[in-house]
Amino acid sequence: MKIAVVGTGYVGLVTGVVFADLGNEVLCVDIDAAKVDAINKGQSPIYEPGLDELLQRNLEEGRLRATTDLAHAVRESEVIFICVGTPPTETGEPDLKYVDAVAAEIGCALNGYKIVVNKSTVPVGTGDRVRRIIEQHRAEPHEFDVVSNPEFLREGSAIHDTLNPDRIVIGADNPRAAMRIVELYAPLERPMLITNLATAEIIKYASNAFLALKISYINAIADLCERTGADVVQVAKAMGYDQRIGHAFLQAGLGFGGSCFPKDVQAFARTVQRYQLDPTLFQTILDINHARAPHFVAQIRNRLGDLQGKVVGLLGLAFKPNTDDIREARALEIIRLLLQAGATVKAYDPVAMPRVQPLFPEVRYCRNAYEVAENADALALITEWNEFRQLNFERIRQAMRQPNLFDGRNLYDPQRMRKLGFYYYGVGRAADPSEFKTVL
Ligand code: UGA
């Protein structure tokens, strides 16, 4: 099939590369000429494991090309995926200006039947809006269909997720269009659901909000565990064995960041409000999440006292491992709070440091975890990169001014760390269970 993919961010580029790998002819479109050049040279503008290899292979085999010429890509293709960003506006609602602009250009370039598939995360009703914009801009009455095909890939495992999705959702009001998209995905042999447009649009937000809810839920439980001498890791483990609950997304810690959950839950709350429904549930998910970073810094302050002149080392800056993305990263809020309190902040992240440096030039960026630990009064694990799992903690402890370890992702075994001579704080893991008395 001939496909155009508009927008070469995480979703667009990964979608384009994977469809090319499945044997389709793909044109990736972006307004940014530098990105387009990089892609045509086989250099992915984003860091994503496995993406470069797949990109290079499909360029070499002639199935994929990038261009800035959207009209040309539309004329050449049968299916056009819209994968442009929908950044939040001041009110928390997604800004649809990029989606609108692409729809208008598609309308102008229409030269025959096309299927316009929206993959950007957009509020319910956007599919209809795209249809109206295309109708307003088409010069001739060429037919087209609009389909919603939400994306569920995660950064850091985007290729794997795209090749092995738990489900593929195809929202279309015309079964003929839906069946064409089913054909496109058929080689993946994954469960597919065909729904109407509005249903598909809501499935995306309902899924992300539910995952964010699980995280905020376990973080609320973590706070109770801290007060009562319980261990949230064990609570989550036991809960997860109930097949109706499951283990996924029950890791207590610093909360969720990234370009999706914070923005999508906010947007969903706004949508619910727009339809005169109560957004409290969704707002609470965000409120709990906002409280995570201040709570963590408060633990450091409790231990070290006045942070003026104290050195705090951070391990990890990206919003999660295997990505250089720092959008809504918890590290940013933690750095801001630590600097505000007068601490000296050192940090190391395997890939995200160049992104944080311009925002916080006063942070001392290090070459590895051991350099971060040197003369630090506290070491805080912020992002659970694999390389932090097996550190030489003997060496770390000796390098530190005071052996205080704050584990924001519950990566380490508290008993082992205490045996090694650290003061250890894990989120929702009592310092010493024997010190607690439950209040009855
Ligand atoms: C999320 C969803 O998982 C994807 O299904 C969805 O397609 C994507 O948003 C999107 O809408 O585009 P992503 O933001 O890449 O993907 O990252 P996740 O792996 O879901 O992690 C999000 C945040 O939650 C991270 O900051 C992570 O540290 C945090 N998290 C995750 C927890 O704090 N605890 C957990 O148990 C799991």
Side-chain angles (χ1 to χ4, degrees):
M1 234 178 263
K2 286 190 162 185
I3 298 172
V5 180
V6 189
T8 60
Y10 273 97
V11 172
L13 189 55
V14 172
T15 301
V17 166
V18 166
F19 279 139
D21 211 52
L22 294 176
N24 300 287
E25 272 180 63
V26 178
L27 274 171
C28 287
V29 186
D30 206 291
I31 44 172
D32 185 338
K35 270 192 186 176
V36 165
D37 281 348
I39 293 168
N40 282 330
K41 284 185 195 135
Q43 296 156 0
S44 156
I46 49 172
Y47 174 85
E48 186 61 42
L51 182 55
D52 275 338
E53 294 87 315
L54 218 55
L55 172 62
Q56 280 153 18
R57 184 164 79 216
N58 285 285
L59 280 169
E60 274 162 27
E61 292 173 8
R63 286 188 296 264
L64 182 128
R65 216 156 35 80
T67 175
T68 52
D69 191 345
L70 173 56
H72 167 73
V74 170
R75 286 193 297 269
E76 289 292 302
S77 309
E78 176 190 350
V79 181
I80 303 140
F81 281 91
I82 303 180
C83 303
V84 294
T86 51
T89 57
E90 268 175 23
T91 60
E93 276 170 299
D95 190 342
L96 295 176
K97 67 177 178 222
Y98 302 115
V99 174
D100 291 353
V102 171
E105 270 205 69
I106 293 174
C108 295
L110 226 53
N111 60 340
Y113 176 71
K114 311 276 170 191
I115 302 174
V116 179
V117 186
N118 189 31
K119 244 189 196 309
S120 301
T121 301
V122 289
V124 56
T126 306
D128 289 336
R129 175 178 167 133
V130 164
R131 183 184 304 147
R132 280 196 305 274
I133 296 175
I134 296 176
E135 275 165 2
Q136 282 158 10
H137 286 80
R138 66 183 164 177
E140 312 245 340
H142 294 297
E143 274 188 51
F144 68 95
D145 280 302
V146 175
V147 172
S148 165
N149 170 221
E151 183 49 64
F152 301 103
L153 65 79
R154 289 161 301 176
E155 287 181 23
S157 55
I159 303 280
H160 173 269
D161 291 351
T162 307
L163 288 169
N164 306 281
D166 286 343
R167 76 304 205 185
I168 295 157
V169 175
I170 300 168
D173 293 335
N174 181 349
R176 165 181 155 190
M179 289 325 289
R180 254 336 241 163
I181 304 304
V182 166
E183 274 175 54
L184 193 57
Y185 280 107
L188 298 182
E189 297 181 17
R190 305 300 299 166
M192 293 197 221
L193 282 99
I194 300 179
T195 70
N196 67 19
L197 265 175
T199 305
E201 287 169 339
I202 288 186
I203 287 170
K204 168 68 188 186
Y205 280 105
S207 302
N208 271 8
F210 188 74
L211 293 170
L213 169 73
K214 280 187 96 176
I215 299 170
S216 280
Y217 182 86
I218 201 67
N219 281 330
I221 303 291
D223 288 348
L224 180 64
C225 289
E226 274 179 24
R227 299 255 167 112
T228 53
D231 183 344
V232 74
V233 174
Q234 288 178 16
V235 173
K237 200 169 176 180
M239 283 172 62
Y241 279 118
D242 185 328
Q243 287 180 11
R244 295 167 301 176
I245 298 175
H247 285 110
F249 282 72
L250 281 185
Q251 278 160 41
L254 297 170
F256 54 82
S259 63
C260 304
F261 287 168
K263 159 173 97 66
D264 292 353
V265 179
Q266 182 68 55
F268 208 32
R270 299 293 300 176
T271 299
V272 163
Q273 247 175 335
R274 190 185 275 266
Y275 289 89
Q276 280 89 47
L277 297 167
D278 182 358
T280 311
L281 171 65
F282 306 103
Q283 200 49 56
T284 305
I285 298 173
L286 294 170
D287 292 345
I288 293 173
N289 201 51
H290 284 151
R292 302 317 295 163
H295 175 76
F296 188 66
V297 172
Q299 303 308 313
I300 301 178
R301 210 198 279 254
N302 283 350
R303 175 72 184 167
L304 298 187
D306 186 1
L307 291 184
Q308 197 71 42
K310 299 279 170 30
V311 179
V312 181
L314 305 184
L315 300 182
L317 297 169
F319 90 90
K320 66 173 191 176
N322 299 323
T323 178
D324 64 346
D325 197 336
I326 57 158
R327 283 176 287 180
E328 300 275 339
R330 303 296 87 195
L332 305 182
E333 180 66 0
I334 289 166
I335 293 175
R336 200 180 59 73
L337 292 167
L338 289 170
L339 291 174
Q340 226 172 41
T344 297
V345 179
K346 297 171 80 179
Y348 166 71
D349 185 285
V351 296
M353 286 193 292
R355 293 191 183 258
V356 180
Q357 199 145 20
L359 303 177
F360 293 106
E362 59 274 67
V363 168
R364 287 199 225 148
Y365 297 92
C366 300
R367 281 167 303 176
N368 53 45
Y370 302 103
E371 202 178 307
V372 177
E374 248 163 63
N375 290 323
D377 296 291
L379 193 62
L381 187 278
I382 309 296
T383 315
E384 66 279 31
W385 284 91
N386 262 340
E387 69 174 79
F388 299 142
R389 284 177 196 273
Q390 300 289 350
L391 292 171
N392 178 343
F393 277 99
E394 194 58 49
R395 190 174 152 198
I396 297 254
R397 186 175 49 79
Q398 278 166 14
M400 293 179 74
R401 197 148 62 188
Q402 304 182 56
N404 293 312
L405 185 58
F406 293 84
D407 185 353
R409 299 290 175 183
N410 291 340
L411 190 64
Y412 305 118
D413 175 8
Q415 275 183 348
R416 183 170 163 250
M417 290 303 145
R418 289 183 189 125
K419 255 197 205 133
L420 281 165
F422 285 96
Y423 164 84
Y424 174 87
Y425 166 82
V427 179
R429 317 191 85 178
D432 177 359
S434 63
E435 285 174 14
F436 290 86
K437 273 209 183 87
T438 40
V439 191
L440 274 182

